[in-house]
Amino acid sequence: MATRLSTREDYVSLLDKYDTWLFDCDGVLWQGDTLVEGATEVLQLLRHHKKAVMFVTNNATKSRKNYKKKFDTLGVEAHVDEIYGSAFAAAVYISSVMKMPKDKKVYVIGMDGLEEELRDEGIAYLGGTDPEDNTLASFSLKNWTPDPTVGAVLCGLDTSINYTKLSKAFNYLLRNEGCTFLATNEDSTYPTAEGLLPGAGSVSAPLRYALGKDPVAIGKPKGTMLDCIKAKWVSHDFDPKRTIMVGDRLNTDIEFGKAGGLATLLVLTGITKESEITGPNASPTVPDYVTNSIGDLRALLS
Ligand SMILES: O=C(O)[C@H](O)[C@H](O)COP(=O)(O)O
Ligand SMILES: [Mg+2]
């Protein structure tokens, strides 16, 4: 049963128990480019209390550097080495886990942030924002010469998805021997300030259906992101028992935290609604704590 936080004492107890605070972004800190009320003050408060703060997002549209610019624009203190996005995790996975040979390329369905992380990791790629692939023209195999060096297809949130990209990705996975099907994450929906949009998982869904197989998904809830954080954050004494994951989605953030042995705090400013955690149809994924918004922790300021 989740503990519903409400009093100042509840938040003081949370502050005492956890030294490392992992924050999901979309639906927790902001919806699109609109900050959740109180998020800035709460992050400042945690830093004032010498808490370690990390940002762990499945949103693969931005690189760590892009996210740093977004945080700066929104007036939120953040440092590049505190930001872990699924674009960065995917690039690390391809280079350090898959150890894809240097003469192989990745066919990308995704945006410039994902391309930037692949470049920074020294991974050759094609597709992505290439104008040749960003077309609404109908696609024909007659007019296409596939690249035989493509060794993986990587699919992330792509707000310019089209039939050409899906057709090329499908054929690389069908034709190129050993071509690996990767997804940065599989969130079904994407929360914006104006409402829900199809998420990264809904961008890769046509490929899953056409191929009859699932991709290797890298983002939350998979442990890859946590492994990435532990590997890159060597300066920090990472104690899972004193770490809390703050998220808005049960099947990514909360499952990620639980699988990693972390405490979990669900907020209701994003995807998950009250009816999913209470009543007869409640999800079997139960967070340790629930509060309406991360802004509620401003109770600590009084
Ligand atoms: O569709 C997506 O990629 C996700 O909805 C979105 O980007 C999730 O981001 P997060 O909540 O992990 O920050
Ligand atoms: Mg979220």
Side-chain angles (χ1 to χ4, degrees):
M1 179 75 180
T3 301
R4 194 67 190 246
L5 305 175
S6 57
T7 66
R8 186 178 185 284
E9 289 65 35
D10 291 341
Y11 299 110
V12 168
S13 157
L14 224 54
L15 200 64
D16 292 345
K17 279 185 189 167
Y18 305 108
D19 305 323
T20 303
W21 290 64
L22 306 184
F23 283 94
D24 172 50
C25 297
D26 290 328
V28 173
L29 300 181
W30 53 59
Q31 289 103 0
D33 292 327
T34 306
L35 268 178
V36 166
E37 194 186 337
T40 306
E41 296 92 316
V42 169
L43 289 170
Q44 285 168 340
L45 174 136
L46 290 172
R47 291 185 189 278
H48 173 71
H49 285 277
K50 307 290 179 244
K51 302 300 181 180
V53 170
M54 300 286 287
F55 305 100
V56 187
T57 176
N58 268 3
N59 189 317
T61 62
K62 288 184 175 62
S63 65
R64 305 175 94 194
K65 292 175 211 162
N66 295 154
Y67 265 112
K68 168 62 178 157
K69 288 188 191 127
K70 176 168 183 173
F71 276 109
D72 290 349
T73 306
L74 292 172
V76 179
E77 182 188 350
H79 309 279
V80 172
D81 61 3
E82 293 172 336
I83 304 168
Y84 285 81
S86 61
F88 175 62
V92 170
Y93 180 85
I94 292 167
S95 64
S96 308
V97 179
M98 269 179 69
K99 296 184 171 49
M100 192 172 79
K102 288 296 179 192
D103 62 351
K104 293 284 187 188
K105 293 192 190 86
V106 176
Y107 181 75
V108 174
I109 291 182
M111 301 167 79
D112 59 345
L114 184 52
E115 292 175 320
E116 181 177 342
E117 294 292 8
L118 292 172
R119 278 197 302 275
D120 286 357
E121 204 63 31
I123 297 166
Y125 64 87
L126 67 167
T129 58
D130 182 335
E132 188 186 296
D133 291 54
N134 286 274
T135 170
L136 291 178
S138 61
F139 179 78
S140 163
L141 289 170
K142 285 200 296 292
N143 310 325
W144 178 53
T145 309
D147 183 330
T149 67
V150 169
V153 166
L154 174 62
C155 190
L157 182 55
D158 184 342
T159 56
S160 303
I161 186 64
N162 62 45
Y163 192 69
T164 290
K165 294 177 180 181
L166 290 171
S167 300
K168 288 187 177 182
F170 172 71
N171 273 279
Y172 280 128
L173 289 162
L174 209 57
R175 296 172 176 214
N176 288 25
E177 183 68 29
C179 189
T180 307
F181 185 14
L182 300 170
T184 57
N185 59 301
E186 294 192 296
D187 297 57
S188 54
T189 54
Y190 170 43
T192 74
E194 296 74 31
L196 287 183
L197 290 173
S202 302
V203 170
S204 56
L207 292 174
R208 289 209 304 269
Y209 186 66
L211 293 158
K213 74 175 191 176
D214 291 337
V216 172
I218 292 157
K220 298 168 289 183
K222 295 291 174 61
T224 316
M225 293 270 267
L226 198 54
D227 297 344
C228 192
I229 291 169
K230 289 176 186 171
K232 295 285 180 181
W233 202 16
V234 290
S235 60
H236 180 69
D237 171 21
F238 192 97
D239 178 355
K241 290 188 297 305
R242 291 192 60 81
T243 301
I244 187 163
M245 174 73 206
V246 185
D248 69 299
R249 191 189 281 266
L250 293 171
N251 68 352
T252 55
D253 305 317
I254 304 306
E255 287 185 11
F256 170 81
K258 294 171 89 78
L262 317 180
T264 53
L265 168 59
L266 176 73
V267 294
L268 301 173
T269 46
I271 295 293
T272 305
K273 298 303 171 215
E274 187 79 46
S275 58
E276 297 175 71
I277 53 171
T278 54
N281 301 318
S283 165
T285 300
V286 181
D288 295 302
Y289 308 99
V290 178
T291 194
N292 288 329
S293 164
I294 193 61
D296 297 343
L297 274 73
R298 284 175 295 177
L300 293 164
L301 292 168
S302 54

